[in-house]
């Protein structure tokens, strides 16, 4: 609904589906909600969304949180706690199978780009 691919653009429906996905635990949706809030000058809400996404292991939330820290919107303690939770979430998803799949994906991408 955001870009209007195969459907009419509809910000209301976009937000509805982002919220459903975020509630369901989709960290990128949570990050996108934070971006939407930021663009609408709802700084506190944006930061809350980005903190939740980071704690779920979403790397994309780290950069805006660091910027918010520099601007004084995030405390040092909140940022530190978020970074620890982010690392714990990332560590929890590591496994030999995932690492092998990632290595395979990199090889295939490299092979495809060399053609």
């Amino acid at each position: 609904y955001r870009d209007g691919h195969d459907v009419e653009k509809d910000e209301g429906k976009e937000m509805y589906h982002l919220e459903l996905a975020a509630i369901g635990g989709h960290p990128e949706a949570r990050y996108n909600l934070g971006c939407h809030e930021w663009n609408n000058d709802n700084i506190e809400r944006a930061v809350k969304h980005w903190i939740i996404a980071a704690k779920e292991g979403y790397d994309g939330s780290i950069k805006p949180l660091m910027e918010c820290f520099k601007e004084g919107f995030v405390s040092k303690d909140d940022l530190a706690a978020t970074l620890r939770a982010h690392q714990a979430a990332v560590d929890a998803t590591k496994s030999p199978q995932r690492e092998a799949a990632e290595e395979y994906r990199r090889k295939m991408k490299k092979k495809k780009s060399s053609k």
Side-chain angles (χ1 to χ4, degrees), residues 74-106:
V74 177
S75 72
K76 185 176 181 178
D77 290 340
D78 286 344
L79 180 62
T82 300
L83 292 174
R84 284 191 300 273
H86 173 266
Q87 189 60 53
V90 170
D91 290 346
T93 64
K94 290 183 179 177
S95 72
Q97 294 86 358
R98 285 179 188 250
E99 290 172 16
E102 181 62 25
E103 181 63 27
Y104 177 76
R105 186 191 66 76
R106 278 193 292 267

Short mmCIF file of all heavy atoms in Angstrom, two decimals, residues 74-106:
data_model
loop_
_atom_site.label_atom_id
_atom_site.label_comp_id
_atom_site.label_asym_id
_atom_site.label_seq_id
_atom_site.Cartn_x
_atom_site.Cartn_y
_atom_site.Cartn_z
N VAL A 74 17.83 9.98 23.24
CA VAL A 74 17.97 8.66 23.87
C VAL A 74 19.07 8.79 24.94
O VAL A 74 20.15 9.33 24.66
CB VAL A 74 18.38 7.58 22.85
CG1 VAL A 74 18.59 6.24 23.52
CG2 VAL A 74 17.35 7.46 21.74
N SER A 75 18.78 8.29 26.13
CA SER A 75 19.78 8.36 27.20
C SER A 75 20.88 7.32 26.98
O SER A 75 20.69 6.33 26.27
CB SER A 75 19.12 8.13 28.56
OG SER A 75 18.75 6.77 28.71
N LYS A 76 22.00 7.55 27.61
CA LYS A 76 23.13 6.63 27.52
C LYS A 76 22.74 5.26 28.06
O LYS A 76 23.07 4.23 27.47
CB LYS A 76 24.32 7.19 28.29
CG LYS A 76 25.58 6.38 28.17
CD LYS A 76 26.73 7.06 28.89
CE LYS A 76 28.00 6.26 28.75
NZ LYS A 76 29.14 6.93 29.40
N ASP A 77 22.02 5.23 29.17
CA ASP A 77 21.59 3.97 29.78
C ASP A 77 20.62 3.20 28.87
O ASP A 77 20.75 1.99 28.71
CB ASP A 77 20.93 4.20 31.14
CG ASP A 77 21.92 4.65 32.20
OD1 ASP A 77 23.14 4.42 32.02
OD2 ASP A 77 21.47 5.20 33.22
N ASP A 78 19.67 3.93 28.28
CA ASP A 78 18.71 3.28 27.37
C ASP A 78 19.41 2.73 26.14
O ASP A 78 19.10 1.62 25.68
CB ASP A 78 17.60 4.24 26.95
CG ASP A 78 16.60 4.52 28.06
OD1 ASP A 78 16.57 3.76 29.05
OD2 ASP A 78 15.85 5.51 27.94
N LEU A 79 20.35 3.50 25.61
CA LEU A 79 21.09 3.03 24.43
C LEU A 79 21.92 1.80 24.77
O LEU A 79 21.91 0.81 24.02
CB LEU A 79 21.99 4.14 23.88
CG LEU A 79 22.79 3.76 22.64
CD1 LEU A 79 21.88 3.43 21.47
CD2 LEU A 79 23.75 4.88 22.28
N ALA A 80 22.60 1.83 25.90
CA ALA A 80 23.43 0.69 26.30
C ALA A 80 22.58 -0.57 26.50
O ALA A 80 22.94 -1.66 26.04
CB ALA A 80 24.20 1.02 27.59
N ALA A 81 21.44 -0.41 27.17
CA ALA A 81 20.55 -1.56 27.39
C ALA A 81 20.02 -2.10 26.05
O ALA A 81 19.94 -3.32 25.86
CB ALA A 81 19.39 -1.16 28.30
N THR A 82 19.70 -1.20 25.15
CA THR A 82 19.20 -1.61 23.83
C THR A 82 20.27 -2.35 23.05
O THR A 82 20.00 -3.39 22.43
CB THR A 82 18.71 -0.39 23.04
OG1 THR A 82 17.65 0.24 23.78
CG2 THR A 82 18.21 -0.78 21.67
N LEU A 83 21.50 -1.85 23.08
CA LEU A 83 22.60 -2.51 22.35
C LEU A 83 22.89 -3.90 22.92
O LEU A 83 23.14 -4.84 22.17
CB LEU A 83 23.85 -1.64 22.37
CG LEU A 83 23.75 -0.34 21.57
CD1 LEU A 83 25.00 0.51 21.77
CD2 LEU A 83 23.51 -0.62 20.10
N ARG A 84 22.80 -4.04 24.24
CA ARG A 84 23.00 -5.37 24.86
C ARG A 84 21.89 -6.33 24.44
O ARG A 84 22.15 -7.48 24.09
CB ARG A 84 23.06 -5.26 26.38
CG ARG A 84 24.38 -4.72 26.91
CD ARG A 84 24.50 -4.87 28.42
NE ARG A 84 23.44 -4.16 29.14
CZ ARG A 84 23.49 -2.88 29.51
NH1 ARG A 84 24.56 -2.16 29.23
NH2 ARG A 84 22.49 -2.34 30.17
N ALA A 85 20.65 -5.84 24.46
CA ALA A 85 19.52 -6.69 24.06
C ALA A 85 19.60 -7.04 22.57
O ALA A 85 19.28 -8.17 22.19
CB ALA A 85 18.20 -5.98 24.37
N HIS A 86 20.04 -6.11 21.75
CA HIS A 86 20.20 -6.36 20.32
C HIS A 86 21.21 -7.48 20.11
O HIS A 86 20.97 -8.42 19.35
CB HIS A 86 20.65 -5.08 19.61
CG HIS A 86 21.00 -5.30 18.17
ND1 HIS A 86 22.29 -5.54 17.76
CD2 HIS A 86 20.23 -5.33 17.06
CE1 HIS A 86 22.29 -5.71 16.45
NE2 HIS A 86 21.07 -5.58 16.00
N GLN A 87 22.36 -7.38 20.79
CA GLN A 87 23.39 -8.39 20.63
C GLN A 87 22.90 -9.76 21.11
O GLN A 87 23.18 -10.78 20.47
CB GLN A 87 24.67 -7.99 21.36
CG GLN A 87 25.84 -8.89 21.06
CD GLN A 87 26.18 -8.89 19.57
OE1 GLN A 87 26.38 -7.84 18.98
NE2 GLN A 87 26.27 -10.07 18.97
N ALA A 88 22.15 -9.77 22.19
CA ALA A 88 21.61 -11.04 22.70
C ALA A 88 20.64 -11.65 21.68
O ALA A 88 20.66 -12.87 21.46
CB ALA A 88 20.91 -10.82 24.04
N ALA A 89 19.82 -10.82 21.05
CA ALA A 89 18.87 -11.33 20.05
C ALA A 89 19.62 -11.87 18.83
O ALA A 89 19.26 -12.92 18.29
CB ALA A 89 17.91 -10.22 19.63
N VAL A 90 20.66 -11.16 18.41
CA VAL A 90 21.45 -11.61 17.27
C VAL A 90 22.15 -12.93 17.60
O VAL A 90 22.13 -13.88 16.81
CB VAL A 90 22.47 -10.54 16.85
CG1 VAL A 90 23.48 -11.07 15.84
CG2 VAL A 90 21.75 -9.32 16.28
N ASP A 91 22.73 -13.00 18.79
CA ASP A 91 23.42 -14.23 19.21
C ASP A 91 22.46 -15.42 19.29
O ASP A 91 22.83 -16.55 18.98
CB ASP A 91 24.10 -14.04 20.57
CG ASP A 91 25.30 -13.10 20.49
OD1 ASP A 91 25.78 -12.81 19.36
OD2 ASP A 91 25.75 -12.64 21.56
N ALA A 92 21.22 -15.15 19.69
CA ALA A 92 20.23 -16.23 19.83
C ALA A 92 19.85 -16.84 18.48
O ALA A 92 19.36 -17.96 18.44
CB ALA A 92 18.99 -15.71 20.55
N THR A 93 20.07 -16.11 17.40
CA THR A 93 19.69 -16.63 16.08
C THR A 93 20.84 -17.32 15.37
O THR A 93 20.66 -17.85 14.28
CB THR A 93 19.16 -15.50 15.17
OG1 THR A 93 20.20 -14.56 14.92
CG2 THR A 93 17.96 -14.83 15.77
N LYS A 94 22.02 -17.32 15.97
CA LYS A 94 23.17 -17.96 15.33
C LYS A 94 23.10 -19.47 15.47
O LYS A 94 22.76 -20.00 16.52
CB LYS A 94 24.48 -17.44 15.93
CG LYS A 94 24.76 -15.99 15.57
CD LYS A 94 26.08 -15.54 16.11
CE LYS A 94 26.33 -14.10 15.70
NZ LYS A 94 27.57 -13.59 16.26
N SER A 95 23.44 -20.15 14.37
CA SER A 95 23.52 -21.60 14.39
C SER A 95 24.40 -22.03 13.23
O SER A 95 24.57 -21.28 12.26
CB SER A 95 22.13 -22.24 14.25
OG SER A 95 21.65 -22.07 12.92
N PRO A 96 24.98 -23.22 13.30
CA PRO A 96 25.80 -23.69 12.17
C PRO A 96 25.01 -23.76 10.86
O PRO A 96 25.54 -23.44 9.80
CB PRO A 96 26.23 -25.09 12.61
CG PRO A 96 26.14 -25.08 14.10
CD PRO A 96 25.01 -24.15 14.42
N GLN A 97 23.73 -24.12 10.95
CA GLN A 97 22.91 -24.20 9.74
C GLN A 97 22.71 -22.83 9.11
O GLN A 97 22.80 -22.69 7.89
CB GLN A 97 21.54 -24.83 10.06
CG GLN A 97 21.60 -26.27 10.47
CD GLN A 97 21.85 -26.44 11.98
OE1 GLN A 97 22.01 -25.47 12.71
NE2 GLN A 97 21.88 -27.69 12.42
N ARG A 98 22.45 -21.82 9.92
CA ARG A 98 22.27 -20.46 9.39
C ARG A 98 23.56 -19.94 8.80
O ARG A 98 23.55 -19.28 7.76
CB ARG A 98 21.78 -19.51 10.49
CG ARG A 98 20.33 -19.69 10.83
CD ARG A 98 19.94 -18.72 11.94
NE ARG A 98 18.62 -18.99 12.41
CZ ARG A 98 17.57 -18.21 12.19
NH1 ARG A 98 17.71 -17.12 11.50
NH2 ARG A 98 16.40 -18.52 12.66
N GLU A 99 24.67 -20.22 9.45
CA GLU A 99 25.96 -19.76 8.93
C GLU A 99 26.28 -20.43 7.60
O GLU A 99 26.78 -19.78 6.68
CB GLU A 99 27.06 -20.00 9.95
CG GLU A 99 26.93 -19.08 11.17
CD GLU A 99 27.90 -19.41 12.29
OE1 GLU A 99 28.88 -20.14 12.06
OE2 GLU A 99 27.67 -18.91 13.40
N ALA A 100 25.97 -21.71 7.47
CA ALA A 100 26.19 -22.43 6.21
C ALA A 100 25.28 -21.86 5.11
O ALA A 100 25.72 -21.68 3.97
CB ALA A 100 25.93 -23.92 6.39
N ALA A 101 24.05 -21.56 5.46
CA ALA A 101 23.13 -20.98 4.48
C ALA A 101 23.60 -19.61 4.04
O ALA A 101 23.53 -19.27 2.84
CB ALA A 101 21.72 -20.90 5.07
N GLU A 102 24.09 -18.82 4.95
CA GLU A 102 24.60 -17.49 4.62
C GLU A 102 25.83 -17.58 3.72
O GLU A 102 25.96 -16.83 2.75
CB GLU A 102 24.93 -16.70 5.89
CG GLU A 102 25.44 -15.30 5.65
CD GLU A 102 24.46 -14.39 4.93
OE1 GLU A 102 23.25 -14.62 5.01
OE2 GLU A 102 24.93 -13.45 4.26
N GLU A 103 26.71 -18.51 4.01
CA GLU A 103 27.89 -18.72 3.17
C GLU A 103 27.48 -19.14 1.76
O GLU A 103 28.03 -18.65 0.77
CB GLU A 103 28.81 -19.77 3.80
CG GLU A 103 30.08 -20.03 3.01
CD GLU A 103 30.99 -18.83 2.89
OE1 GLU A 103 30.96 -17.95 3.77
OE2 GLU A 103 31.73 -18.75 1.89
N TYR A 104 26.51 -20.02 1.67
CA TYR A 104 26.00 -20.46 0.37
C TYR A 104 25.40 -19.28 -0.40
O TYR A 104 25.65 -19.11 -1.59
CB TYR A 104 24.95 -21.56 0.57
CG TYR A 104 24.31 -22.02 -0.71
CD1 TYR A 104 24.99 -22.86 -1.59
CD2 TYR A 104 23.03 -21.60 -1.06
CE1 TYR A 104 24.41 -23.28 -2.78
CE2 TYR A 104 22.44 -22.01 -2.24
CZ TYR A 104 23.14 -22.85 -3.10
OH TYR A 104 22.56 -23.25 -4.27
N ARG A 105 24.63 -18.46 0.30
CA ARG A 105 24.02 -17.28 -0.33
C ARG A 105 25.08 -16.33 -0.86
O ARG A 105 24.98 -15.83 -1.98
CB ARG A 105 23.12 -16.55 0.66
CG ARG A 105 22.32 -15.40 0.04
CD ARG A 105 21.64 -14.52 1.07
NE ARG A 105 22.57 -13.79 1.90
CZ ARG A 105 23.24 -12.70 1.50
NH1 ARG A 105 23.11 -12.24 0.30
NH2 ARG A 105 24.06 -12.08 2.34
N ARG A 106 26.15 -16.12 -0.08
CA ARG A 106 27.24 -15.24 -0.54
C ARG A 106 27.93 -15.80 -1.77
O ARG A 106 28.22 -15.07 -2.71
CB ARG A 106 28.26 -15.04 0.59
CG ARG A 106 27.89 -13.98 1.59
CD ARG A 106 29.06 -13.61 2.47
NE ARG A 106 29.46 -14.67 3.36
CZ ARG A 106 29.02 -14.82 4.60
NH1 ARG A 106 28.17 -13.96 5.10
NH2 ARG A 106 29.43 -15.83 5.34
#
